[in-house]
């Protein structure tokens, strides 16, 4: 009997979009099992590609272009998405993400452009906000975004501090009274991580090195975030406060609420209903590691699959954690003979992975 296959991967960051990976996995699967019925549901978890996922999932969604100050100090062209119910989706990766950094600058990159895009959505009449904050290039505690929205962060002389984590070292006062009121529909932070702001599992220690920080700079990033906490007086241990270099912390101080990013995108896609009609599901991401269980796409899709009694398969660029929750798993790096080759042509190796997973499923 033909099998209904649901393919719901995240993007393979730096290699290919979720839609491209889903199509390649499907092509590989049908090369092995041509009679199967394949459904594509490219996913996102609050990081890069979230805007695209919502645009595909929600009929009538409209993109609005916006030019903002990028994290490296140059203007960048970005966009935000207006949903038919008036909610706006704004993606940090579009405005202030790593892709906008010609060179990594862990002390000076900032989120000011993200705040500008949020402000543009509010000025256009957004009745609610979904803020996807994955893919950040900075560790500024969200201060840049809040400053763009009207908050004031000043040094002991009353002068505005410079943008970026480096500026937090001079922070003496914060005035949030200039922030706009939250829209009637509220502000939800879509995030794929649960880290607190400070400590060994915090923004600086875990994510600082990914943004170019060496060991000494990580210590400095942490120290400056501690200063921000002393000034704002908000709890740094809140789940998700460390997301996006502490942007979660800043947005929570505004009054936003944290929401699992993958679940929000999955709901928009109708993924739970699609799962009920599937015989097997294939998910994936660029690197499946110890952080994948904390709200990333494979963990979310896997949970839905278990609840529906559907076997789940995994394709990932690299696999660095146990895959016991999946009935089969394939690494693109393993197929390609190394990570460099897999990254250079992710669609090719995703197609090969799809074929391999189909063979594994057939052999169960």
């Amino acid at each position: 009997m033909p099998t209904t296959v649901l393919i719901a991967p995240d993007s393979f960051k730096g290699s290919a979009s979720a839609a491209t990976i889903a199509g390649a996995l499907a092509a590989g699967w049908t090369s092995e099992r041509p009679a199967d019925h394949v459904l594509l549901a490219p996913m996102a978890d609050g990081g890069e590609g979230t805007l695209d996922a919502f645009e595909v999932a929600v009929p009538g969604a409209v993109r609005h272009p916006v030019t903002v100050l990028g994290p490296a100090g140059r203007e960048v062209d970005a966009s935000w998405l207006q949903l038919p119910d008036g909610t706006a989706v704004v993606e940090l990766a579009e405005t202030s993400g790593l892709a906008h950094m010609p060179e990594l600058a862990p002390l000076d990159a900032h989120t000011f452009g993200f705040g500008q895009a949020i402000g543009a959505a509010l000025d256009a009449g957004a009745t609610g906000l979904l803020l996807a904050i994955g893919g950040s290039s900075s560790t500024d505690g969200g201060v840049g975004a809040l400053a763009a929205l009207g908050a004031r962060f000043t040094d002991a002389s009353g002068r505005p501090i410079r943008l970026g984590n480096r500026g937090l070292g001079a922070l003496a006062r914060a005035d949030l009274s200039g922030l706009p009121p939250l829209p009637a529909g509220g502000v939800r932070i879509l995030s794929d991580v649960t880290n607190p702001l400070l400590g060994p599992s915090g923004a600086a220690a875990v994510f600082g090195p990914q943004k170019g920080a060496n060991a000494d700079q990580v210590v400095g990033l942490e120290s400056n975030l501690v200063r921000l906490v002393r000034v704002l007086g908000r709890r740094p241990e809140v789940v998700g406060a460390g997301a996006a270099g502490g942007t979660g912390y800043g947005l929570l101080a505004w009054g936003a609420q944290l929401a699992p990013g993958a679940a929000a995108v999955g709901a928009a896609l109708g993924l739970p209903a699609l799962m009920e009609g599937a015989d097997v599901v294939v998910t994936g991401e660029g690197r499946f590691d110890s952080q994948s269980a904390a709200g990333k796409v494979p963990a979310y899709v896997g949970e839905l699959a278990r609840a529906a009694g559907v076997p789940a398969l995994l394709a990932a660029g690299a696999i660095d954690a146990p895959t016991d929750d999946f009935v089969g798993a394939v690494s693109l790096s393993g197929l390609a003979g190394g990570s460099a080759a897999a990254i250079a042509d992710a669609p090719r190796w995703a197609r090969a992975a799809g074929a391999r997973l189909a063979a594994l499923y057939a052999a169960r």
Side-chain angles (χ1 to χ4, degrees), residues 45-222:
D45 55 16
E48 177 185 348
T50 299
L51 216 62
D52 294 337
F54 271 98
E55 187 174 26
V56 170
V58 182
V62 178
R63 274 195 191 249
H64 294 272
V66 61
T67 300
V68 302
L69 183 67
R74 291 191 278 265
E75 287 190 340
V76 300
D77 293 326
S79 60
W80 59 275
L81 190 70
Q82 183 179 20
L83 304 183
D85 67 356
T87 301
V89 186
V90 188
E91 181 184 303
L92 187 149
E94 272 236 343
T95 61
S96 310
L98 282 165
H100 294 302
M101 298 297 296
E103 295 180 3
L104 297 179
L107 295 175
D108 297 308
H110 57 78
T111 57
F112 192 86
F114 183 49
Q116 288 179 302
I118 295 169
L122 290 174
D123 290 344
T127 57
L129 292 171
L130 295 175
L131 305 181
I133 64 172
S136 169
S137 61
S138 68
T139 310
D140 74 348
V143 164
L146 296 183
L149 287 167
R152 282 181 51 80
F153 298 90
T154 54
D155 62 18
S157 300
R159 294 172 297 191
I161 62 172
R162 65 186 296 173
L163 294 173
N165 181 279
R166 193 189 304 273
L168 299 180
L171 180 64
R173 299 181 185 85
D175 179 3
L176 306 187
S177 63
L179 290 172
L182 300 180
V187 179
R188 284 180 288 165
I189 306 165
L190 306 184
S191 176
D192 59 357
V193 299
T194 57
N195 303 63
L197 181 66
L198 303 176
S201 59
V206 175
F207 304 114
Q210 298 174 10
K211 300 168 187 180
N214 60 35
D216 290 339
Q217 288 173 325
V218 165
V219 173
L221 294 173
E222 177 85 357

Side-chain angles (χ1 to χ4, degrees), residues 43-44 53-54 57-58 188 260-274 300 304:
M43 278 286 295
F54 271 98
V58 182
R188 284 180 288 165
V265 177
L269 284 169
L271 198 65
L274 291 175
Y300 166 71
L304 285 183

